[in-house]
Amino acid sequence: MNRLICTLTLAMMLAPLPLAAKDKTVEINVIPYPQSVEIGKGQFKAAGATFNCDQAIDQKSQRQIKSLADHITLVSGRTCSFASPFGLKASMERNSRIKGFVFLKDASMGPEEYSIEVTKKSCIVKASAYNGFLYSLETLKQLMDPSIFGNDIDGSQRFRIPCVTIKDKPRFSYRGMHLDCARHFFSVEEVKKYLDVMAIFKLNRFHWHLTDDQGWRVEIKKYPRLTETGAFRNGTMVGKQWDSNDGVRYGGYYTQEQMKEIVAYAAAKGITVIPEIDLPGHMLGALASYPELGCTGGPYEVWTRWGVSDQVLCPGKEAMFTFLEDMFTELMDIFPSEYLHIGGDECPKKEWEKCPDCQARIKELGIKGDDKHSAEQYLQSYVTARVQKFLNEHGRKIIGWDEILEGDLAEGATVMSWRGVKGGIEASAKGFDVIMTPNTYCYFDYYQCEEPSIAKEPLAIGGSLPLEKVYSYEPLEGLDANQQKHILGVQANLWTEYIATNDYLEYMLLPRLTALSEVQWCKPSDKDYVRFTKAMEAEAFRIFDILGYNYRKNF
Ligand code: TNX
């Protein structure tokens, strides 16, 4: 008898906890973590629930909402019907017992803000605009079993959402990720997959580095040699052997149609594409195609090695500016973004010092060097200002790397601080808007581990940037209230000198992108590395597995 009691007690101890007790331990694994989360008791069954979507919501948002309904139908095998009546909000106010999903427009919310209120009977979602609705859908998916990210049909009705009230909006309006497609070329499909994972973690800017010394990747109809010649290089250096060449011709470019396709694909995911044409340095792709744009007239070659080339565009020649204006005219047609990135980094002045045309230009403009900057540095400011004026006249604004601060910088430029945070501190003090991309926290081409383990990793450019360091970044540190107002947001950069394959690209991106997303989205008080890593393993890693992303599993 005693034995029987013992066995029964043991069995009760081992039995699953009753639901009510289990609910208390519910944690939500949403990344980036929402601003306000109140967990309730119980669950809402998403499989088979009706989607009620107010007609006041724009058609584009409605289509996204409907596609979640269709997707739950597909994976759960239970139909989620979609209805889009007029006056849903008013009828909700009269009869609050409406069941299922309810999507409402709340015009008082910011464009990226949303709320979700889940009870056992209903899931009420509110937002005012497209991105807010998209983010509500991403959060809903992360609240469900990660298998929602796949297409496998699963009749087990796992698609439940814990009862929870979420109110959410981002800390920063600019939440970017950069990709260098010049050093290595990534196909349209690969770029789309990159955008897909950005969207899951609520990033909204894709900085597309499209031209460099090692390749010009943009079709410009008026200058066909840019892609006939400039898009291909005669081999690539091997590893870090600077004088080597693998002898394999390498290259590729995007047609205007393909770039438009990517812009539209990104826009549907709430992401603006900001193209970068890096000038006046990092221009061998263009110079090899049109040698008359340079100081010496060449010969030039699309570079087969990494580093900073002394061969740059010649601002002494009017034809160079004509080229830039023609090229940007076509580019603006492809990219509707308010901002265009004009590079500006790492432009050696050796050629300009010797070039008669550059020196004549310096004289003509009355440029004089001073104790801060050389005349040639001010000449770069002249290039920046001319391009900026042209783009401003077409309703666009410029972003440039922090070197554009050297010399004079005209009002309205936005500075991307990459050489640590000092450029951002200086620019914001001078009243310029800033995007923080410090190499100390945001360079995803650096190794993902601490020094001693670096030898075990695939070859990278150098540096050490473990996940935790990315997570620890506080973009407003050291800035006073006035400077803080100028920090538009944060971006990580993925330069691809040593990244030749998409698999390796994803490995360098993930999971650091998830840490970046909390730096961009969360208030410092909502960040918690332990909570974050648990969610990353439980949710993000499963999403990566289901969607077929390569990622670094040790952190
Ligand atoms: C510096 S960041 C560069 C890039 C390199 C990168 C490598 C910046 C504006 N310029 O051209 O790819 O370092 O980490």
Side-chain angles (χ1 to χ4, degrees):
M1 186 63 181
N2 255 351
R3 218 192 237 177
L4 185 65
I5 291 170
C6 271
T7 319
L8 278 174
T9 320
L10 195 69
M12 279 166 72
M13 281 165 69
L14 292 175
L17 292 170
L19 250 187
K22 212 174 167 188
D23 285 349
K24 280 195 195 134
T25 64
V26 168
E27 276 178 32
I28 66 156
N29 289 324
V30 176
I31 296 176
Y33 200 71
Q35 286 216 353
S36 154
V37 178
E38 275 173 46
I39 295 171
K41 278 188 177 173
Q43 292 175 319
F44 169 80
K45 290 179 190 158
T50 304
F51 274 65
N52 303 285
C53 182
D54 198 345
Q55 266 299 330
I57 298 172
D58 65 278
Q59 288 300 312
K60 223 174 114 191
S61 301
Q62 287 202 37
R63 275 198 294 277
Q64 293 293 341
I65 294 164
K66 183 169 184 301
S67 71
L68 180 63
D70 293 343
H71 194 69
I72 300 176
T73 301
L74 171 79
V75 291
S76 71
R78 300 197 51 201
T79 305
C80 292
S81 57
F82 179 85
S84 177
F86 283 104
L88 182 60
K89 210 169 174 182
S91 67
M92 281 281 295
E93 273 151 24
R94 281 197 307 276
N95 170 17
S96 58
R97 279 177 302 173
I98 286 187
K99 286 191 196 159
F101 284 95
V102 179
F103 287 83
L104 299 173
K105 178 170 171 151
D106 181 342
S108 72
M109 287 181 164
E112 297 199 300
E113 189 178 351
Y114 69 92
S115 69
I116 299 175
E117 217 184 308
V118 189
T119 64
K120 287 182 190 167
K121 294 211 166 66
S122 65
C123 173
I124 301 170
V125 178
K126 292 177 188 163
S128 72
Y130 188 64
N131 276 34
F133 282 111
L134 280 185
Y135 300 149
S136 75
L137 299 175
E138 289 301 342
T139 296
L140 284 173
K141 284 168 79 180
Q142 289 194 29
L143 289 170
M144 288 182 238
D145 187 273
S147 54
I148 188 74
F149 284 87
N151 290 323
D152 289 347
I153 297 160
D154 179 337
S156 69
Q157 297 180 35
R158 270 190 285 163
F159 302 103
R160 292 167 190 240
I161 302 174
C163 294
V164 64
T165 301
I166 290 176
K167 294 195 172 80
D168 200 13
K169 62 178 181 206
R171 182 183 184 200
F172 293 106
S173 62
Y174 186 111
R175 302 182 303 281
M177 188 66 223
H178 151 289
L179 175 61
D180 171 9
C181 289
R183 272 59 176 272
H184 281 102
F185 180 73
F186 297 92
S187 69
V188 170
E189 287 317 308
E190 288 162 344
V191 172
K192 285 184 179 172
K193 199 176 166 204
Y194 200 84
L195 292 164
D196 289 344
V197 71
M198 285 173 60
I200 294 172
F201 299 101
K202 305 186 174 80
L203 276 74
N204 64 359
R205 296 288 187 281
F206 176 55
H207 171 173
W208 202 4
H209 186 79
L210 283 165
T211 65
D212 217 303
D213 293 319
Q214 296 80 7
W216 181 280
R217 309 272 172 242
V218 186
E219 179 193 29
I220 299 293
K221 301 220 159 107
K222 199 160 183 184
Y223 296 89
R225 291 214 300 276
L226 288 172
T227 41
E228 286 160 14
T229 305
F232 299 91
R233 61 177 180 252
N234 288 321
T236 304
M237 64 182 261
V238 180
K240 298 215 168 154
Q241 296 161 265
W242 292 92
D243 293 322
S244 65
N245 186 319
D246 65 8
V248 182
R249 189 169 153 82
Y250 182 92
Y253 65 90
Y254 306 98
T255 64
Q256 296 199 353
E257 283 315 304
Q258 286 174 324
M259 289 181 283
K260 285 181 184 165
E261 184 186 326
I262 283 180
V263 167
Y265 187 85
K269 293 183 174 278
I271 298 171
T272 304
V273 183
I274 299 176
E276 179 188 353
I277 303 293
D278 202 347
L279 67 95
H282 288 280
M283 264 286 170
L284 274 172
L287 287 166
S289 318
Y290 296 94
E292 62 273 22
L293 301 175
C295 292
T296 62
Y300 299 104
E301 198 197 359
V302 182
W303 235 13
T304 58
R305 47 163 292 187
W306 318 125
V308 178
S309 169
D310 287 336
Q311 297 180 307
V312 301
L313 293 179
C314 177
K317 300 188 173 74
E318 258 324 281
M320 191 281 282
F321 289 100
T322 310
F323 163 76
L324 290 180
E325 291 180 5
D326 290 344
M327 184 268 301
F328 275 119
T329 300
E330 289 193 34
L331 203 79
M332 282 188 281
D333 217 39
I334 306 164
F335 296 97
S337 60
E338 182 186 11
Y339 291 94
L340 300 176
H341 201 304
I342 63 160
D345 61 317
E346 300 176 324
C347 177
K349 310 291 187 296
K350 280 189 194 154
E351 291 195 334
W352 295 1
E353 283 160 14
K354 285 190 228 132
C355 168
D357 293 332
C358 287
Q359 292 306 315
R361 176 78 78 184
I362 285 173
K363 221 166 160 196
E364 169 206 322
L365 295 168
I367 294 178
K368 293 207 166 43
D370 54 30
D371 50 354
K372 284 201 207 118
H373 305 292
S374 66
E376 287 75 19
Q377 256 163 335
Y378 287 110
L379 185 59
Q380 182 171 346
S381 302
Y382 168 76
V383 177
T384 308
R386 249 185 98 163
V387 174
Q388 181 180 10
K389 184 167 173 284
F390 177 77
L391 295 176
N392 287 170
E393 281 164 5
H394 291 80
R396 309 299 182 98
K397 293 186 187 165
I398 63 156
I399 303 175
W401 298 110
D402 57 42
E403 282 94 332
I404 63 171
L405 282 167
E406 293 163 7
D408 299 316
L409 182 58
E411 207 185 314
T414 296
V415 174
M416 225 172 225
S417 182
W418 74 275
R419 293 175 298 179
V421 296
K422 61 182 192 310
I425 295 173
E426 186 191 330
S428 59
K430 289 182 174 163
F432 294 106
D433 283 347
V434 169
I435 297 151
M436 286 297 205
T437 73
N439 55 353
T440 38
Y441 295 93
C442 296
Y443 267 43
F444 288 3
D445 55 340
Y446 292 6
Y447 287 102
Q448 234 168 136
C449 55
E450 308 282 355
E451 289 291 341
S453 310
I454 279 176
K456 291 184 213 141
E457 292 290 301
L459 184 71
I461 197 158
S464 163
L465 183 60
L467 182 76
E468 191 165 4
K469 181 147 190 215
V470 178
Y471 195 80
S472 74
Y473 180 44
E474 171 40 49
L476 299 186
E477 197 181 284
L479 302 176
D480 65 29
N482 263 332
Q483 288 170 299
Q484 292 187 7
K485 278 189 232 146
H486 287 292
I487 308 300
L488 303 183
V490 181
Q491 170 179 296
N493 297 336
L494 192 30
W495 301 100
T496 58
E497 285 96 330
Y498 295 90
I499 302 173
T501 66
N502 192 54
D503 247 23
Y504 188 24
L505 184 75
E506 291 176 0
Y507 178 83
M508 294 304 261
L509 181 70
L510 305 173
R512 287 186 288 198
L513 177 84
T514 62
L516 172 73
S517 78
E518 294 219 342
V519 174
Q520 296 168 325
W521 187 277
C522 302
K523 287 189 288 190
S525 55
D526 292 332
K527 281 171 68 192
D528 171 347
Y529 191 64
V530 174
R531 185 264 309 143
F532 161 74
T533 48
K534 268 198 217 160
M536 188 182 70
E537 280 188 294
E539 181 77 23
F541 283 11
R542 285 196 59 199
I543 297 174
F544 300 154
D545 289 334
I546 289 165
L547 296 178
Y549 285 98
N550 189 26
Y551 61 99
R552 189 172 195 274
K553 297 177 181 72
N554 302 331
F555 57 90

